[in-house]
Amino acid sequence: MKMVFRWFGEGNDSIPLEYIKQIQGVEGIVWALHDIPAGEVWTIEKINEVKQQVERQGFHVDVVESVNIHEDIKLGLPSREKYIDNYIKTIENLATVGVKVICYNFMPVFDWVRTNLFKELEDGSTALFFEKSKITDIDPMELVQSISHNHDFTMPGWEPERLVYLTELFEQYKEVTEEDLWNHLQYFLERIIPVAEKNGIKMAIHPDDPPFSVLGLPRIITNKQNIKRLLDLVDSPSNGLTLCSGSLGVNPDNNIAEIASEFSDRIPFAHIRNVRRYENGDFIETSHRTTDGSVDIQSIMEALYKSRYSGYLRPDHGRHIWNEKCRPGYGLYDRALGIMYLWGIWDSLCRTSVETEKYADAK
C-alpha cells in the first residue's frame, strides 16, 4: 500500500505541502489542475509547474484526480470527438511526468451531491451531510447556490463555467437513460484505454456519489454488479476502479470488503472514509474509525491486505475539527488522524501475519 494525500494546489488549498510532509507514511500528492475547464488539454508547462512544487517537498505525483470529462462526452454528442481527443492529449502529457493513475468519474452534471457542507455533529465538529427529503424537491439552482457559495476555494464538479448552462444540461439529460450513459461510457473507454495502456497509465473510475439517481439524473457506477460491467466493457488492466468506501457505503447493500477482494487487481487507487447512515436515507460523514459510522473500515483494510494490495490509498473526506478553516471535507487534522487509523490497522495486520508465519514455522 502506498499512502497519498489530496492537495488542491497553491492558492487553492488551506494546507501547505510542508504540513502534509509532517504526516508519517505519506509518499505522494494526489493533485489536479483545477483551473483548467473540463474538456481542455492539460499542458505540459502547467503539469510541470505542479510537479516541481510537489517534488520539492519529496513527494511523487503518481496519482492525478479530477481530470474531469466534458458533458458532451457523457451526453454522446457529435462534439465529443473533440473533447475525447483533448482527453487523450492530456493522458499523453501526464505520462511525460510519470503519472501512473488517473482518477475520473462519469456522473452527469454534478460530481457529488450534499445538502449541507458543515452539518454539526454531536461532538461539535462539522461534516458533509446529505438530507434525502430536502433533495427530493429542491430546485437544482438552489442546490448550486448552497454548494458554490464558498468562494475561497474551487469546488471540483461544481465549476461555474459548466453550471452556467445548468438549465440546458438538465434539458439535454431528460432523454438520456442509464443504458445510454453506459453506451457513452463504453465509447469513451474504447478510445482512451489503448492510449492509457501505451503510456503505462491506469484509468480508475470513481463510484457515483451518492450511488443512486439524484434530481432525475442517471447514475451507473453504484454497486458490485455495475462495477463488474464497467470492467468488462474494456477488459484491460488500464480500465480500473477507484474504490471509494464512502460513496459505495451509502448503500447498505454494498459489501465493500467483498468488492475490494473480488476486484483487487483492478483497483489501482482507493479512497477510504466512513459515513453514518440513517433509516430515513440521510447520511453524514464521520471520522474514519469503524465504530463511528456505518462502514466497516477494518474489514475493507483487511480485504485489501489479504489481496496483497500494492496500489495507492488516501484518506478521503474528514470532519472539520479544532476550529479549522478549510475546504469542505478536506481539512488537515481529521484526514491526518484518518491516516494514522488506517496505518494502525495495516501495521497490525502486518505484525499479525509475521507472528502467524513464525508460529507455523516453529510447528
Side-chain angles (χ1 to χ4, degrees):
M1 177 180 72
K2 296 182 278 286
M3 186 68 72
V4 291
F5 196 88
R6 192 173 190 186
W7 181 66
F8 291 84
E10 288 188 357
N12 193 34
D13 202 310
S14 60
I15 306 165
L17 289 170
E18 292 87 346
Y19 288 7
I20 301 172
K21 191 174 182 178
Q22 296 172 32
I23 308 172
Q24 292 298 312
V26 176
E27 301 178 20
I29 294 298
V30 179
W31 60 285
L33 298 179
H34 296 286
D35 59 329
I36 297 183
E40 292 191 13
V41 175
W42 290 20
T43 65
I44 290 178
E45 292 74 21
K46 295 278 286 184
I47 291 169
N48 272 319
E49 184 179 339
V50 177
K51 179 177 185 284
Q52 290 165 14
Q53 293 167 359
V54 169
E55 289 186 342
R56 275 198 295 268
Q57 297 300 325
F59 295 118
H60 64 64
V61 291
D62 291 6
V63 184
V64 171
E65 191 164 338
S66 296
V67 185
N68 290 332
I69 296 172
H70 197 277
E71 292 298 326
D72 288 11
I73 298 175
K74 302 173 196 174
L75 286 163
L77 302 179
S79 52
R80 66 182 171 181
E81 300 299 340
K82 165 190 171 182
Y83 296 115
I84 293 175
D85 287 343
N86 286 353
Y87 207 98
I88 286 172
K89 184 60 178 174
T90 293
I91 291 173
E92 292 171 340
N93 288 348
L94 288 169
T96 66
V97 299
V99 166
K100 305 292 191 299
V101 177
I102 295 175
C103 175
Y104 71 103
N105 72 75
F106 215 73
M107 290 178 262
V109 186
F110 304 121
D111 284 7
W112 53 273
V113 175
R114 301 292 186 274
T115 55
N116 189 335
L117 302 181
F118 297 98
K119 173 75 171 178
E120 187 168 341
L121 288 152
E122 300 89 340
D123 59 8
S125 63
T126 62
L128 299 168
F129 176 66
F130 181 91
E131 186 175 356
K132 187 177 181 180
S133 62
K134 186 172 183 178
I135 205 73
T136 303
D137 301 315
I138 197 170
D139 182 289
M141 285 307 301
E142 182 184 342
L143 182 63
V144 168
Q145 290 164 6
S146 69
I147 297 297
S148 304
H149 74 279
N150 186 337
H151 301 297
D152 294 332
F153 308 111
T154 59
M155 300 290 282
W158 295 80
E159 294 82 5
E161 70 275 0
R162 178 163 51 139
L163 298 178
V164 72
Y165 301 108
L166 192 66
T167 302
E168 180 183 336
L169 278 173
F170 267 87
E171 194 64 32
Q172 288 177 298
Y173 273 108
K174 271 186 179 179
E175 304 302 321
V176 178
T177 65
E178 286 189 359
E179 203 58 36
D180 291 331
L181 198 60
W182 275 113
N183 291 335
H184 301 162
L185 174 58
Q186 182 171 359
Y187 185 90
F188 173 69
L189 292 175
E190 287 175 346
R191 288 284 314 277
I192 68 161
I193 293 302
V195 180
E197 281 183 348
K198 182 179 178 181
N199 287 275
I201 286 178
K202 295 184 178 180
M203 301 298 300
I205 197 167
H206 191 285
D208 298 342
D209 184 11
F212 47 77
S213 176
V214 177
L215 300 171
L217 296 167
R219 293 203 161 188
I220 55 177
I221 311 301
T222 56
N223 54 38
K224 179 182 174 182
Q225 178 182 352
N226 286 3
I227 290 169
K228 185 178 187 310
R229 179 175 178 179
L230 157 81
L231 299 176
D232 288 343
L233 286 180
V234 179
D235 190 7
S236 162
S238 286
N239 178 28
L241 169 73
T242 294
L243 179 74
C244 181
S245 63
S247 298
L248 293 169
V250 168
N251 183 348
D253 294 331
N254 282 332
N255 185 328
I256 305 164
E258 184 179 279
I259 291 171
S261 294
E262 181 162 341
F263 304 117
S264 61
D265 61 334
R266 301 286 287 276
I267 300 174
F269 188 29
H271 293 176
I272 303 297
R273 63 180 166 91
N274 209 341
V275 294
R276 186 186 306 162
R277 299 186 298 261
Y278 298 95
E279 291 185 4
N280 64 358
D282 295 352
F283 65 87
I284 193 165
E285 299 182 2
T286 68
S287 80
H288 288 71
R289 191 180 181 209
T290 293
T291 55
D292 201 21
S294 306
V295 179
D296 190 345
I297 302 298
Q298 172 86 26
S299 69
I300 296 168
M301 295 299 288
E302 287 178 353
L304 291 172
Y305 181 82
K306 290 176 181 176
S307 301
R308 298 186 178 183
Y309 183 69
S310 60
Y312 303 89
L313 182 147
R314 72 167 176 83
D316 205 3
H317 308 162
R319 300 165 299 151
H320 321 108
I321 63 175
W322 304 332
N323 202 34
E324 183 179 16
K325 307 303 179 188
C326 59
R327 172 188 300 277
Y330 283 98
L332 170 67
Y333 306 140
D334 207 36
R335 285 190 294 158
L337 291 174
I339 283 179
M340 290 301 101
Y341 179 68
L342 298 175
W343 271 131
I345 296 173
W346 196 264
D347 290 348
S348 177
L349 292 168
C350 289
R351 175 160 293 192
T352 301
S353 177
V354 169
E355 293 301 323
T356 301
E357 289 177 7
K358 286 181 178 177
Y359 178 76
D361 290 343
K363 291 183 68 176

